[in-house]
């Protein structure tokens, strides 16, 4: 990029230096000078619209007032934003705006955080000169999540633009004209869209309100807790608005974090599972074939006793542990220690949704510089996307790509065997057969394999285009694993500049689970079990010798359980019965003990001998790692009302087992203490705590010592969860608002013509 | 704007006729779209989905037993057949044995059902084809059968008499006697029908050889029942896959081989006789005693007796009727022979108490596909026979039409128009507004279905279509009357009595603004200036202009319309044809009034296209621009920007395409001077545009013409075609190597689109919102490419300048104000009209001499010098020489040359009010001050003029106008503010007068609140 030229202009008597091309409104903001605006909304649109006329400023040598949102600062320009004329103009605009605004602040959700209220209070008149009748329209319910109150609308068009340019959905438009102009949804009286709620978020007034939040509370009555979203792997920051121990709203209030202003429907509306009536709130123990409530003491005692029994009778390898891809890093780390040191088995795994371990092995020590952050996806001049439906499965990554394309013409190259809306942004798209992405990557790297003529030609174009690029960001889904992943890494290394790479997984802490070694063959930080020195090191910290032989994968554990070879299965925050569907569930009857930590009675929990009610990530402290490796703190925003964190459960259980002579009790009392141990012992996790505490998302890069020429996981162990914008594993079912939308009721998107109709048009 | 489809019928022309949905003949809710070549059917497409009852889906929410009542409604002429099919399917999945007694009764009743259904068929088929009597008879006999059903179940039609495992109730005593009576009498009645029909010549003529389908085709299309058997295929489910003990009965499958309507008639009649045979056998077989349903605890409810006396019975009854029973997981298909053919029922159970899926293979749905086969190539009269012969029941078709890949079938003329439009623009979306305008011509309005179709054709999101539509006042989503009357009440018309005229029209038609008369003949709309200012007052009927009206003339027009005659519209704009005033300097209006002036031959006889030849052969592009600069031609649209300078701003040597746009969106109230240029001298504009294209290196031009000038678009398109034919447009014009393409483009009713950047947005198929400037169009214009946009008059002047030279042209006017321009003079003058006068012409002379002075010897009060956005001049300010600079000096603008003269009897508050109504109506709504300010002022001025004014309103009106002034996104806010400010300033006394009573000039009888 050419070096930015600087210009100096005069703002209210001060000399201001700014880069050429900066809008006066932005330059003023940096100087701490407020130039009010409604329609100007940085980031969402490349274009300003100059509709609200609030940002009028005086410019020397220009006869009329100018809109600061369209005015580019030029050398020597003299701008005045605090003259009498400017203040009068603002006052007049507010007066015009309020002429048809209803008198309903007392019942409007936006009251207290309304930009129109603020502007009126700051710049407007204290009385009205308008004596005519105002316009009236009834309120409309566009979806269970989006309500529209036309009279409140000030027609800043932010919603229309964010829906079109930001989300690439274009479900909103403008109807009629003049004073009757009104925002209209894409279907008569209702919306058919992604239900992301971005329109509600950007609305400066109470015209668009949220179906989950309306008429609930006032903004000053709530506390605001920042938390990474608990649904997909992108780790958007969502601010939970909490009152009386209840989450009432989620939005990214201050637009900070990896996602800026972006949130999808899951992040914005998918929080009400926390107080779902079906939540398990006390321990359940199976007695006479039925799960019955039990005291914590009895349940813990029973689990410890029976675990010891299995271990004594069948050995430690008859026990399996399946971890979670949405529990915290600390919990995963503890679970790892619990399995390997306390129980003494390497049978530990989780549902792997991307080949993070394979990526670490392929990159080796290069991982530190090669992993892409979410910001990299936006800034990269070119993006290569392989597999995955990012729009549906990784909404933030898709937003970053779209923003890049919109703001600085990112060139998007796609190889995909399935449909995805992001293809609209693609400069070159290679459509392979379903599952053909691996072969395409092989062809790119080694020129091996044959395709039909059009595919070959498309691949050829893609290859030569990529070879001419530099600083490419490569994103890939679960389709790419094992040898294909190594091919891709080596192809990436051939491209000029600094190639950045990102594996796209599912669930909020998939990457964290892999980083923390919830894998049968890897210790935290992708340390190989074969490395005796490392094994000894962890053994020393954990107070037990770690067995050397790799354990069973999650799928193999389920098979072994059906076969009667595995006697006890300890499941934390996972639903393997559903996920792996390998066995007729009732064959699990051959297990002697099935323990589950869960929020709800999932298919797995229903078959458990003991169910521990678990806290969700909105109810506990800890850290989560998103798919890009960015680590964020999660906070206890509400009290879990019965359930306990998985962290506490594992810790307490280790004490219980210790009393029975099994393993050493875990003495890390808090997640903070555990994170300290992680920082010291897991490569790539030595992150600045200050950054985490201040709401940052420093990138971790759990790194292998050397790149490994062959690290393969048998097929069928790494696979996508195939969640779409309205599902989220077992959790999504309990997000009642999210599932109440018409779109959520459609069958998953790939096969559904209904979705296609609102999706692709 | 006509609402009827007038498609000429000829050898090469087909027309599309919509048949149905209606009763009779399309049997309720079937719609058939016929493409006709004369009397012959070229294509017949059944359109279904008008009766979507969602029965299959509803079944999923009901217990297995509850579904039975739904099946009644599928084929409402044979409910018992549906009951049977469904019950058999569930019984199959349950593995349930039904007692013989119930099986025989089921056979008996479904055969009676077949008789009843065929009786309805024969009766309605006969009446469809003109035989009335059979219809009366057959319904009489059918009633006897329905009485039996009623006796058994309590219901004539929706019987729900069959239940899972058997029957709903024990048949009442004596029921078989009733059956016996029917069985005895029916064959004789059938004979009567046959007497009436079977050898009837008309009947034979209407059915024999009509609607033939071969056996192979019938099989290929999945036909069943009489539709199949009439073609000689002896397939009958009762024989092929016997159910309910049909294998114990002796009957024959009736077939015919001809495969025509007559054959199917024969089959159905024979089947009635055959059914009677089966019924008779059943009557013999049915045991007088025995269970009427199976006994399976948990599935079949216990008897009433049991339920009322034993607690177990009560519990079982309760559970079966609340929770229902749960068949094992699995799926079954069960078919029966319904009167219409193979009725298949698919039931899938997931082991729960409700069916996971129920699907009906409805014979009507399948048989209906044969309709095109039957009807195509036949006469239109045969279509009724072909529909009837398929014996469909639409309840059974019960499917929603899914949007096909591919587009709606539209009238061929419209399709052709669409194709032309799509070929015109580099970006498809540009065709959107014209496509909507032309579709509206055909259908009278834009239906949701059509809009979705247009969206699909243009690869647009539906929102993009609807939001564009919503912006333009001429596009509508609801039908209007056959004659859509639009009356202009804007200032020029108002000054000449439009309010009184409009009141008269309302009274005469008995409808108000935006209403349609009950008969659908007339609809009325009060509209803003439609460019007939010199012929005020004016109105449009559909797209035809009628000018210089008064109530008597209007009455004559309506009388003619009511008699179905078309009154003669104005041939060309009133005011363009008049005796030349000696002061006129004729340059661009030289062809006005010349016979046939719009034809290329006449144009060429009068120096036409000589300038083009000169420009292409003797001049370089730079020389053309220099000549334009020398001419001091300033933009005639209103802003007065020097045209040559505008052209020179276009970047040279840019590889991007460039465009020339003619702004023909003339809609400034008081202005009607582009209209005569376009209708009497379109070639002058075309020549000017090609020269402009040459000058800036553009190869494509568009003439954007306001939607209200619909007939003019046709004129311009004809002229363009002539120019192509003569080689003045297209490739390698006059062997110069220069290419230029040109097309006319229609607007759709929006004043804002006269603003150049809004016009480009509109031309791109979007809402006419203005764009941020800079960048200016010369650099970033249409489609983001360099564009020169000039007013029609400006471009029409170009040929004269090239022919005569810039210096000559400049010498006609004053310094920096070259040449002549057209004034459309309207209002209170004796000779309103369009006059060509040199720049710098004295306004007083213009009024007193050229326009013949103030009408009726009244005193002059005010003058609008150049369209309603200009500040008004008072009577003592008219000693001004009208050029851009001189008029600006006295605080107004030369504007668009729409000069409106206002006499002493005019209420200036009323005038201010009317002007504000216009701008409030035309505000695009993009920016706050204009959107809210114009409406606020409009409401205030209305109130003020009606007598509700307050002293503080006068400074407030002034202040609010000034609050808009200079602060809006585009000049529309200024246009609303400037005249208002000038009126408050110069005629403040009139406002003050209103405070002490009502308007002193006129009672407040004007039409308020129309917008």
């Amino acid at each position: 990029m050419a070096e930015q030229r600087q210009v100096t202009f005069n703002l209210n008597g001060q000399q201001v230096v700014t880069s050429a091309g900066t809008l006066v409104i932005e330059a003023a903001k940096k100087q701490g000078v407020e130039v009010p605006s409604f329609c100007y909304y940085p980031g969402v649109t490349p274009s300003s619209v100059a509709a609200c006329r609030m940002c009028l400023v005086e410019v020397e040598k220009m006869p009329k007032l100018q809109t600061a949102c369209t005015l580019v600062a030029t050398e020597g320009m003299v701008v005045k934003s605090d003259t009498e004329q400017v203040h009068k103009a603002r006052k007049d605009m507010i007066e015009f705006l309020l002429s048809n605004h209803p008198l309903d602040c007392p019942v409007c959700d936006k009251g207290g955080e309304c930009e129109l209220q603020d502007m009126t209070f700051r710049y407007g008149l204290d009385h009205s000169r308008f004596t005519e009748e105002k316009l009236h329209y009834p309120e409309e319910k566009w979806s269970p999540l989006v309500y529209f109150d036309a009279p409140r609308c000030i027609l800043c068009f932010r919603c229309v633009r964010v829906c079109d340019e930001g989300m690439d959905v274009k479900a909103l438009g403008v109807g009629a004209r003049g004073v009757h102009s009104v925002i209209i949804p894409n279907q008569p009286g209702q919306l058919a869209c992604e239900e992301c709620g971005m329109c509600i978020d950007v609305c400066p007034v109470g015209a668009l309100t949220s179906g989950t939040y309306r008429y609930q509370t006032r903004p000053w009555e709530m506390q605001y807790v920042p938390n990474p979203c608990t649904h997909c792997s992108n780790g958007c920051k969502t601010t939970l608005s909490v009152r009386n121990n209840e989450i009432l709203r989620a939005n990214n209030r201050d637009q900070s974090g990896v996602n800026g202003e972006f949130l999808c429907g899951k992040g914005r509306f998918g929080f009400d599972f926390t107080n779902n009536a079906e939540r398990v709130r006390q321990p359940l123990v199976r007695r006479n074939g039925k799960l019955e409530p039990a005291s914590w003491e009895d349940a813990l005692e029973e689990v410890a006793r029976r675990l010891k029994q299995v271990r004594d009778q069948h050995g430690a390898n008859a026990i399996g542990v399946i971890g979670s891809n949405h529990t915290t890093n600390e919990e995963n780390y503890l679970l790892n220690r619990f399995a390997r040191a306390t129980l003494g088995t390497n049978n530990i795994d989780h549902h792997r949704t991307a080949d993070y371990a394979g990526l670490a092995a392929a990159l080796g020590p290069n991982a530190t510089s090669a992993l892409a952050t979410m910001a990299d996806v936006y800034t990269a001049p070119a993006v290569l996307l392989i597999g995955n439906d990012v729009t549906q499965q990784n909404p933030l990554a898709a937003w970053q790509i779209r923003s890049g394309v919109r703001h600085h013409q990112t060139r998007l190259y796609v190889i995909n065997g399935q449909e995805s809306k992001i293809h609209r942004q693609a400069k070159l798209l290679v459509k392979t057969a379903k599952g053909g992405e691996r072969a395409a990557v092989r062809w790119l790297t080694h020129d091996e394999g044959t395709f039909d003529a059009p595919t070959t030609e498309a691949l050829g174009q893609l290859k030569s285009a990529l070879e001419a690029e530099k600083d490419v960001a490569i994103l890939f889904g679960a389709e790419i694993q094992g040898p294909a992943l190594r091919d891709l890494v080596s192809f990436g290394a051939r491209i000029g500049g600094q190639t950045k790479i990102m594996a796209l997984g599912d669930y909020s802490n998939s990457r964290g689970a892999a980083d923390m070694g919830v894998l049968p063959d890897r210790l935290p930080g992708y340390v190989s079990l074969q490395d005796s020195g490392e094994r000894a090191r962890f053994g020393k910290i954990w107070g037990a010798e770690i067995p050397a032989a790799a354990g069973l994968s999650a799928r193999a554990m389920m098979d072994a359980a059906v076969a009667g070879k595995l006697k006890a299965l300890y499941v934390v925050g996972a639903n393997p019965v559903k996920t792996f569907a390998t066995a007729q569930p009732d064959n699990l009857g051959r297990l002697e003990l099935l323990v589950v930590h869960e929020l709800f009675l999932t298919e797995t929990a229903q078959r458990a001998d003991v169910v521990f009610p678990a806290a969700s990530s909105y109810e506990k402290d800890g850290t989560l790692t998103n798919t890009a490796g960015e680590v964020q703190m999660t906070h206890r925003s509400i009290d879990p009302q019965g359930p306990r964190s998985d962290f506490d459960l594992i810790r307490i259980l280790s004490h219980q087992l210790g009393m029975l002579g099994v393993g050493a009790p875990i003495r890390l009392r808090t997640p903070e203490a555990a994170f300290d141990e992680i920082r010291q012992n897991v490569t790539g996790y030595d992150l600045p705590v200050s950054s985490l505490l201040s709401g940052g998302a420093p990138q971790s890069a759990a790194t292998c010592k050397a790149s490994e020429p062959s690290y393969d996981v048998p097929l069928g162990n790494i696979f996508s969860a195939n969640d779409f914008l309205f599902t989220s594993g077992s959790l999504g079912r309990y997000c009642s608002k999210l599932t109440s939308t018409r779109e959520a009721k459609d069958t998953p998107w790939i096969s559904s013509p209904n979705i296609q109709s609102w999706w692709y048009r | 704007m006509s609402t009827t489809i007038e498609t000429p019928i000829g050898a090469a022309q087909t027309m599309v006729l919509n048949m149905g949905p209606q009763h009779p003949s399309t049997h309720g809710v079937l719609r058939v779209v016929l493409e006709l070549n004369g009397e012959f059917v070229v294509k017949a497409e059944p359109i279904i989905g008008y009766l979507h009852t969602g029965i299959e889906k509803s079944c999923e929410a009901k217990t297995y037993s509850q579904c039975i009542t739904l099946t009644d409604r599928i084929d409402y002429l044979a409910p018992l057949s549906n009951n049977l099919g469904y019950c058999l399917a569930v019984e199959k999945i349950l593995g349930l044995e039904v007692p013989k007694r119930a099986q025989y009764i089921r056979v008996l009743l479904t055969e009676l059902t077949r008789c009843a259904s065929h009786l309805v068929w024969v009766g309605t088929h006969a009446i469809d084809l003109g035989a009335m009597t059979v219809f009366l008879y057959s319904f009489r006999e059918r009633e006897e059968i329905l009485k039996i059903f009623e006796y058994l179940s309590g219901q004539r039609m929706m019987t729900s008499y069959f239940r899972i495992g058997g029957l709903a109730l024990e048949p009442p005593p004596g029921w078989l006697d009733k059956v016996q009576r029917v069985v005895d009498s029916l064959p004789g009645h059938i004979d009567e029908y046959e007497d009436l029909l079977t050898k009837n010549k008309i009947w034979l003529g209407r059915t024999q050889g009509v609607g033939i389908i071969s056996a192979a085709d019938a099989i290929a299309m999945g036909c069943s029942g009489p539709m199949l058997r009439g073609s000689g295929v002896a397939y009958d489910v009762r024989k092929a896959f016997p159910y309910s003990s049909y294998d114990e009965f002796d009957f024959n499958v009736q077939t015919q081989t001809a495969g025509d309507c007559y054959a199917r008639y024969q089959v159905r009649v024979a089947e009635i006789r055959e059914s009677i045979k089966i019924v008779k056998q059943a009557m013999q077989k049915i045991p007088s005693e025995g269970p009427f349903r199976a006994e399976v605890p948990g599935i079949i409810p216990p008897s009433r007796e049991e339920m009322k006396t034993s607690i177990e019975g009560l519990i079982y009854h309760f559970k079966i009727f609340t929770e229902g029973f749960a068949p094992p997981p699995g799926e079954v298909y069960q078919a029966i022979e319904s009167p219409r053919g193979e009725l298949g029922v698919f039931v899938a159970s997931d082991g729960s108490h409700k069916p996971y899926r129920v699907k009906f293979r409805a014979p009507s749905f399948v048989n209906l596909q044969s309709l095109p086969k039957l009807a195509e190539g036949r006469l239109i009269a045969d279509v009724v026979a072909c529909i009837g012969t398929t014996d469909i029941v639409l309840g059974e078709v019960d499917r929603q039409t899914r949007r096909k890949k591919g587009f709606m079938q539209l009238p061929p003329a419209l399709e052709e128009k669409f194709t032309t439009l799509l070929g015109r623009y580099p970006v498809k979306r540009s065709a959107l507004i014209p496509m909507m305008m032309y579709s509206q011509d055909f259908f009278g309005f834009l239906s949701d279905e059509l809009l979705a179709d247009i969206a699909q054709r243009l690869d647009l999101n539906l929102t993009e279509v609807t939001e564009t539509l919503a912006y333009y006042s001429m596009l509508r989503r609801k039908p209007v009357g056959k004659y859509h009357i639009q009356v202009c009440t804007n200032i020029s018309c108002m000054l000449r009595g439009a309010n009184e005229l409009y009141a008269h029209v309302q009274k005469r038609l008995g409808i108000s603004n935006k209403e349609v008369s009950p008969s659908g003949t007339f609809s009325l709309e009060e509209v803003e200036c439609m460019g007939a200012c010199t012929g005020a007052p004016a109105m449009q009927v559909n797209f035809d202009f009628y000018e210089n009206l008064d109530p008597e003339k209007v009455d004559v027009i309506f009388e003619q319309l009511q008699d179905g005659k078309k009154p003669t519209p104005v041939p060309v704009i009133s005011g363009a044809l008049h005796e030349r005033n000696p002061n006129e300097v004729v340059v661009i209006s030289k062809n006005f009034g010349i016979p046939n002036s719009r034809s290329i031959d006449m144009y060429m006889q009068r120096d036409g296209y000589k300038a083009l030849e000169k420009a292409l052969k003797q001049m370089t592009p730079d020389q053309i621009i220099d000549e334009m600069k020398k001419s001091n031609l300033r933009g005639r649209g209103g802003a007065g920007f020097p045209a040559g300078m505008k052209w020179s701003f276009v970047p040279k040597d840019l590889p991007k395409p460039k465009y020339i746009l003619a702004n023909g969106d003339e809609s400034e109230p008081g202005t009607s001077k582009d209209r005569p240029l376009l209708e009497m001298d379109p070639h002058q504009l075309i020549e000017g545009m090609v020269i402009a294209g040459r000058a800036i290196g553009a190869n494509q031009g568009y003439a954007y013409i306001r939607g209200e000038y619909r007939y003019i678009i046709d004129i311009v398109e004809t002229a363009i075609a002539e120019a192509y034919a003569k080689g003045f447009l297209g490739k390698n014009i006059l062997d110069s190597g220069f290419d230029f393409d040109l097309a006319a483009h229609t607007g759709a009713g929006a004043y804002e689109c006269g603003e150049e950047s809004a016009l480009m947005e509109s031309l791109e198929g979007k809402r006419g919102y203005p764009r941020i400037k800079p960048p200016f169009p010369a650099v970033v214009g249409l489609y983001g490419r360099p564009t020169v946009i000039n007013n029609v008059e400006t471009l029409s002047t170009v040929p004269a300048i090239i022919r005569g030279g810039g210096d000559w042209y400049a010498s006609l006017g004053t310094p920096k104000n070259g040449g002549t321009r057209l004034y459309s003079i309207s209002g209170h003058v004796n000779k309103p009209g369009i006059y060509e006068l040199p720049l710098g012409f004295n306004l007083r002379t213009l009024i007193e001499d050229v326009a013949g002075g103030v009408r009726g010897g009244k005193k002059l009060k005010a003058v609008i010098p150049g369209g309603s956005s200009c500040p008004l001049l008072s009577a003592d300010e008219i000693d001004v020489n009208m050029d851009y600079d001189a008029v600006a000096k006295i605080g107004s603008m030369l504007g668009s040359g729409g000069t409106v003269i206002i006499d002493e009897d005019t209420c200036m508050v009323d005038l201010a009010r009317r002007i504000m109504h216009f701008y409030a109506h035309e505000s695009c709504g993009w920016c706050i001050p204009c959107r809210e300010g114009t409406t606020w002022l409009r409401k205030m001025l209305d109130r003020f003029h009606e007598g509700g004014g307050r002293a503080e309103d006068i400074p407030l009106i002034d202040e609010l106008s000034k609050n808009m002034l200079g602060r809006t996104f585009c000049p529309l806010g200024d246009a609303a503010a400037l005249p208002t400010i000038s009126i408050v300033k110069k005629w403040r006394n009139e406002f003050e007068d209103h405070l002490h009573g009502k308007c002193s000039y006129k009672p407040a009888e004007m039409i308020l609140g129309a917008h």
Side-chain angles (χ1 to χ4, degrees), chain A residues 464-483:
Chain A
S464 46
L466 279 168
E467 281 165 353
E469 295 283 358
K470 60 188 272 242
D471 300 335
V472 176
I474 302 178
L475 281 68
F476 62 93
E479 292 87 345
I480 303 299
Q481 46 180 277

Side-chain angles (χ1 to χ4, degrees), chain B residues 493 496 532-539 546-549 573-575 672 826 832:
Chain B
C493 287
R496 293 181 81 97
C533 314
T534 52
M539 84 181 183
Y546 298 89
E547 299 180 358
N548 297 314
L549 295 175
I573 177 174
S574 309
S672 56
S826 63

Side-chain angles (χ1 to χ4, degrees), chain A residues 53 92 132-133 174 176, chain B residues 467 767 939 943 959 967:
Chain A
R53 319 304 285 178
D92 298 340
E132 324 301 326
E133 197 187 338
V174 191
Chain B
E467 72 173 355
R767 293 170 68 85
K939 288 177 175 173
R943 172 168 55 80
E959 193 199 326
R967 292 177 185 171

Side-chain angles (χ1 to χ4, degrees), chain A residues 38 48-53 56 64-65 70 85 88-89 92-93 95-97 99-100 129-135 154-155 157 160 169-181 184-186 188 753-754 761, chain B residues 402 448 455-456 459-464 466-467 470-473 749-751 767 769 772 920-929 931-933 935-936 939-940 943 950 956 959-960 963-964 966-969 974 1011:
Chain A
F38 291 113
S48 304
V49 294
C52 75
R53 319 304 285 178
L56 291 170
K64 289 181 183 178
L65 296 178
T70 57
Q85 193 193 4
K88 169 132 182 17
D92 298 340
M93 290 312 131
E95 184 180 34
F96 278 136
L97 255 186
S99 66
N100 273 311
R129 298 193 288 178
F130 184 80
T131 55
E132 324 301 326
E133 197 187 338
K134 297 194 175 196
L135 295 171
I154 59 169
L155 289 162
F157 311 111
V160 175
V169 170
K170 197 156 177 53
L172 296 174
V174 191
R177 76 175 181 213
V179 79
H180 299 289
S181 299
I184 49 168
N186 55 353
N754 290 334
R761 288 228 54 82
Chain B
R402 187 176 287 281
D448 294 352
Q456 211 182 343
D459 291 332
L460 292 177
N461 184 310
L462 190 56
T463 320
E464 294 168 300
T466 48
E467 72 173 355
Y471 182 88
Y472 295 92
S473 59
Y751 168 74
R767 293 170 68 85
Y769 287 142
I772 294 168
H921 183 255
E922 297 301 337
S923 168
C924 76
W926 184 250
C927 72
I928 292 170
R931 176 176 80 227
E932 302 293 344
T935 304
W936 186 350
K939 288 177 175 173
M940 274 181 86
R943 172 168 55 80
R950 304 164 305 174
L956 186 56
E959 193 199 326
L960 291 179
N963 288 352
M964 284 197 289
R967 292 177 185 171
T968 50
F969 191 103
D974 296 349
H1011 299 297

Side-chain angles (χ1 to χ4, degrees), chain A residues 71-88:
Chain A
L71 189 67
V72 175
T74 53
E75 190 63 40
M77 184 183 259
V78 179
V79 180
K80 290 179 190 148
S81 74
D82 60 354
T83 65
E84 206 176 310
Q85 193 193 4
V86 169
H87 279 276
K88 169 132 182 17

Side-chain angles (χ1 to χ4, degrees), chain B residues 153-238:
Chain B
S153 70
Q155 291 277 339
R156 286 168 71 251
M157 287 173 75
M158 302 302 142
T159 52
S160 292
Y161 185 62
F162 298 160
R163 295 297 160 87
I164 292 152
L167 312 173
L169 302 160
E170 171 69 26
W175 73 286
L176 281 175
D177 300 341
K178 290 173 190 289
V179 177
Q180 188 67 53
R181 280 201 288 278
V182 167
V183 166
D184 291 344
S185 64
L186 194 53
H189 291 307
I190 306 294
D191 294 341
E192 284 169 22
Y193 310 157
E194 291 224 62
D195 285 348
L196 287 166
L197 295 175
T198 304
K199 288 176 186 167
N200 179 325
K201 280 211 169 150
I202 301 172
W203 183 253
L204 291 169
R206 293 297 310 269
T207 56
Q208 272 190 336
V210 174
I212 298 177
I213 187 163
S214 70
D217 283 345
I219 292 168
M221 290 189 158
C223 291
S224 57
M227 277 303 293
L228 183 63
R229 294 192 284 270
S231 298
V233 182
Y235 172 77
D236 187 313
V237 181
R238 292 172 294 179

